[in-house]
Amino acid sequence: MPGWFEEISCDLGAAWAIARKDMKIYYIKPSILVSSLLFPFVMFLAFAIGRNAPAGTLIPGLLAITLLFSASSIEPVSIPIERRTKTFDRLIAAPVSIRAIVLGASLSGAVFASAIGVATTAIGLIAFRTGIIHIVALLAGIALTSLCFSTMGTLFAAYRTENVGEVMSLLNLVRLPLLFISGVFIPFASMPAWGQSIAFLSPLTYAHDLILFAFDGTTLFGPVADTLVLVLAIVLFQAVGALLYRRSRE
Amino acid sequence: MDAIEVIDLTKRFGDNIAVNGIRFRVREGETFGFLGPNGAGKTTTIRMLTGMTGITSGRALIHGHDIVRDTLAAKRLMGVVSETSNVYDELSAWDNLIFTGRLYHLGKAEIQRNARDLLDTFGLYERRHEPAEGFSKGMKRRLTLAMGLVNSPEVLFLDEPTSGLDVQSRRLIRDVVQDLARENVTIFLTTHDIEEANVTCDRVAIINQGTIAAIDAPEKLKQTFESLQSVEVSFDSARPGLLEALRMLPQVNDVRKEGDKFRLYTADPPEVLGSLCVFAKEQNLRPISVTTRGPSLEEVFIRLTGLSVGMKKKVGGTDAGLV
């Protein structure tokens, strides 16, 4: 077996082991599951009440926001806690590459957020009879958006602290503005030119665009471009995350 | 080939030098103690040797694998037991071991077999499905050690393995470590318990302020400190001024009162024994017990690290040219 193949195989095995461990410890808990399922419902009420738009048209934006928050919320909490309890040292001491640790932590958030995203979509379909035009685009949108933002959460948790609040404050400095510059609250066409320029830099713009395409066929950039940008963002976040975790070890 | 080879290893944190150009070798199958006071650089050294923290300069090789250039190959050969019992509280003892085995890329059957054997060895098998959060401190420590052994390591790093444990857990862990040594596993042990190092280790290194002060077998280290030999005496009655009077005896370097006993430090115990008999007669004292003692490893440690307790400290630190 070639060395590079064995290395990738070991990395993937370790990443999946870390993801399973994180899901067992942090995600599959009644309190987390209930609050994660309630989140889109509360967001829906916040969106729908007092607006004239048909409820079904809110689903794509709601799904994008749900994926952003459910994917990026747990690792910035769990990693500082694991630093405090020294269980993170276990990963660092094991024969596991830093990139496998970053991938494993991101995978757990991605799997969890994808499940929440599918549940949100299912509720939307049943409650509002929302139609899906492109199922593959929807599934790709959910999976890529989840992995993109769970990697972003893991990346922020590279900040070397044992204090959860410090990581969450930093993360929210980026995460909350994303909502306003990505065409979710304010349609892209209604944004000023400077706003549109910033929107181009936000992965949420492309995630929302891909999900919107899946639901009603409308798109700004096209599904292929959206997919490519999301993949690029995942690769970039993974690489920067690995670099930051490596540096935090120095 | 040496199990561990450390060459001019240095670690800086900004302007602070935590470990300053240390160098030593640990032979295959050797139990090597790494002693030092708090902040001496023990944990930083162990973290560098296990690839948990970066190296500023120098090299560390594990069975010939450079920990910086060939990190994963070096890590596959080692087990690491941290000072803290870093188990996943939410997972059961069984799941903790299975997860650790997966990190070491072991096959499913091998992980399960090792997990069963280790839980049995450490007396945790009956409670294997309970979350670790309900375990006592001793049980968590045993589980931590079991997790460090799940990959059957060739080199085991133990950071304060028995610190703060009850007698039963201490003895169990000590027995397991001695069994591993018999199976030719190389053990790198840091401990505050000097007596533990004395009875467990083939050789010890004493690190102080980031540099190695001495490396040798415990008994050889003790022999180099002739002035730390002592005569321990207990008299039938205590009198004021006795401590000062004993200090005046010829060849006595220092005297410490330990309970109802006096300990007279000397490089020449027979000479002091003679003086002591004359002294007792003159003072009309009856010695109840008299014992001559060699230096303990703890005294050697205290002398080398400059933590002088009741000792006349010599300029230059050591009696012999150690390191």
Side-chain angles (χ1 to χ4, degrees):
Chain A
M1 195 186 292
W4 61 267
F5 183 81
E6 193 184 351
E7 200 175 312
I8 290 173
S9 162
C10 285
D11 272 2
L12 289 176
W16 185 236
I18 293 167
R20 283 171 71 179
K21 180 265 294 174
D22 279 0
M23 279 190 272
K24 205 164 188 173
I25 296 177
Y26 304 110
Y27 293 93
I28 308 172
K29 282 186 164 178
S31 57
I32 299 292
L33 288 169
V34 169
S35 62
S36 298
L37 285 168
L38 275 179
F39 176 82
F41 179 70
V42 172
M43 290 302 289
F44 171 76
L45 292 179
F47 268 102
I49 292 172
R51 290 178 68 167
N52 294 326
T57 60
L58 300 177
I59 298 297
L62 195 63
L63 180 58
I65 293 172
T66 301
L67 293 174
L68 166 67
F69 278 89
S70 43
S72 62
S73 291
I74 304 291
E75 294 308 315
V77 175
S78 67
I79 290 174
I81 288 174
E82 290 204 2
R83 277 201 195 97
R84 195 170 61 226
T85 58
K86 309 294 177 199
T87 44
F88 197 71
D89 280 353
R90 276 203 176 280
L91 310 183
I92 303 291
V96 173
S97 68
I98 296 287
R99 60 176 180 265
I101 296 173
V102 175
L103 180 63
S106 310
L107 269 179
S108 58
V111 171
F112 176 75
S114 296
I116 297 294
V118 169
T120 305
T121 309
I123 292 167
L125 292 177
I126 295 162
F128 306 111
R129 299 186 185 282
T130 314
I132 298 172
I133 297 175
H134 302 285
I135 184 74
V136 176
L138 179 67
L139 293 176
I142 289 175
L144 291 173
T145 307
S146 298
L147 186 55
C148 180
F149 292 117
S150 65
T151 306
M152 189 178 85
T154 307
L155 190 156
F156 274 83
Y159 179 63
R160 198 175 178 174
T161 178
E162 294 176 0
N163 186 336
V164 173
E166 282 184 65
V167 180
M168 290 308 282
S169 304
L170 273 176
L171 177 63
N172 282 335
L173 272 177
V174 173
R175 201 165 58 167
L176 295 176
L178 281 184
L179 292 177
F180 298 97
I181 60 152
S182 304
V184 180
F185 279 138
I186 308 161
F188 190 83
S190 310
M191 286 183 190
W194 62 266
Q196 290 183 349
S197 305
I198 298 173
F200 280 122
L201 299 174
S202 165
L204 188 62
T205 303
Y206 303 93
H208 181 240
D209 194 49
L210 184 57
I211 291 167
L212 205 60
F213 171 75
F215 276 101
D216 65 13
T218 58
T219 176
L220 284 169
F221 312 108
V224 175
D226 291 333
T227 303
L228 283 175
V229 172
L230 284 174
V231 169
L232 194 68
I234 291 166
V235 172
L236 184 70
F237 287 167
Q238 287 281 333
V240 175
L243 184 74
L244 293 178
Y245 279 95
R246 204 167 287 128
R247 281 205 180 154
S248 73
R249 214 168 49 92
E250 294 302 311
Chain B
M1 184 185 291
D2 291 312
I4 303 172
E5 188 178 358
V6 173
I7 307 157
D8 299 332
L9 199 64
T10 299
K11 179 69 183 180
R12 281 174 182 273
F13 294 104
D15 292 335
N16 178 35
I17 303 176
V19 175
N20 191 5
I22 61 171
R23 118 192 326 255
F24 58 85
R25 290 161 184 259
V26 180
R27 289 184 291 270
E28 204 176 325
E30 188 175 26
T31 301
F32 188 83
F34 203 59
L35 314 179
N38 288 338
K42 296 190 302 290
T43 299
T44 304
T45 302
I46 226 172
R47 288 182 72 85
M48 284 193 284
L49 297 184
T50 54
M52 291 163 75
T53 195
I55 291 170
T56 305
S57 64
R59 291 178 78 195
L61 308 176
I62 307 294
H63 280 277
H65 297 286
D66 190 305
I67 191 64
V68 175
R69 290 180 196 147
D70 200 5
T71 312
L72 299 186
K75 283 183 175 179
R76 276 174 198 260
L77 299 173
M78 56 170 93
V80 182
V81 177
S82 302
E83 187 178 4
T84 315
S85 292
N86 53 350
V87 302
Y88 295 97
D89 278 344
E90 300 83 353
L91 298 183
S92 66
W94 179 260
D95 285 345
N96 266 291
L97 282 165
I98 298 294
F99 171 63
T100 309
R102 285 180 182 144
L103 289 183
Y104 283 83
H105 318 295
L106 306 181
K108 191 177 175 183
E110 188 181 2
I111 297 176
Q112 291 189 346
R113 189 178 59 245
N114 290 355
R116 256 193 310 273
D117 291 348
L118 287 164
L119 288 170
D120 192 39
T121 302
F122 286 100
L124 297 168
Y125 190 75
E126 298 302 318
R127 300 182 67 177
R128 65 192 180 282
H129 294 310
E130 292 178 30
E133 62 193 346
F135 285 7
S136 68
K137 189 177 177 182
M139 289 167 74
K140 282 189 183 179
R141 199 74 195 125
R142 283 182 266 153
L143 179 57
T144 307
L145 190 49
M147 289 163 81
L149 293 172
V150 80
N151 60 320
S152 312
E154 291 181 34
V155 181
L156 180 64
F157 288 91
L158 292 171
D159 198 359
E160 300 286 350
T162 58
S163 175
L165 293 186
D166 59 272
V167 177
Q168 196 185 7
S169 296
R170 280 172 90 93
R171 181 159 289 183
L172 178 63
I173 289 174
R174 200 172 285 177
D175 288 347
V176 170
V177 168
Q178 286 173 348
D179 286 346
L180 289 168
R182 274 193 287 276
E183 290 165 19
N184 211 36
V185 174
T186 307
I187 296 167
F188 187 93
L189 168 80
T190 75
T191 179
H192 278 101
D193 188 340
I194 311 284
E195 190 48 32
E196 180 174 52
N198 188 32
V199 299
T200 314
C201 299
D202 299 311
R203 285 192 305 146
V204 295
I206 295 176
I207 184 170
N208 191 31
Q209 295 178 339
T211 56
I212 301 282
I215 302 179
D216 216 328
E219 289 308 317
K220 282 188 184 167
L221 271 181
K222 290 178 199 172
Q223 282 168 13
T224 57
F225 285 84
E226 283 187 342
S227 67
L228 290 175
Q229 296 177 90
S230 58
V231 175
E232 198 178 81
V233 60
S234 176
F235 296 109
D236 61 341
S237 63
R239 280 184 206 163
L242 196 53
L243 188 76
E244 287 69 28
L246 287 168
R247 274 206 182 110
M248 302 307 289
L249 291 176
Q251 298 294 328
V252 171
N253 296 327
D254 195 15
V255 181
R256 283 174 67 188
K257 191 171 184 308
E258 295 174 346
D260 65 341
K261 293 175 277 296
F262 292 93
R263 193 151 183 201
L264 289 72
Y265 288 94
T266 177
D268 191 352
E271 174 74 19
V272 169
L273 271 174
S275 309
L276 202 56
C277 289
V278 175
F279 174 81
K281 205 167 187 178
E282 283 173 1
Q283 298 288 322
N284 204 21
L285 289 164
R286 201 165 72 89
I288 301 171
S289 70
V290 180
T291 317
T292 59
R293 290 178 57 180
S296 68
L297 189 59
E298 182 172 306
E299 286 160 342
V300 172
F301 174 81
I302 287 169
R303 175 60 67 91
L304 284 170
T305 54
L307 302 170
S308 182
V309 180
M311 300 291 299
K312 282 177 186 167
K313 211 176 158 189
K314 285 190 173 182
V315 177
T318 61
D319 291 16
L322 293 165
V323 173

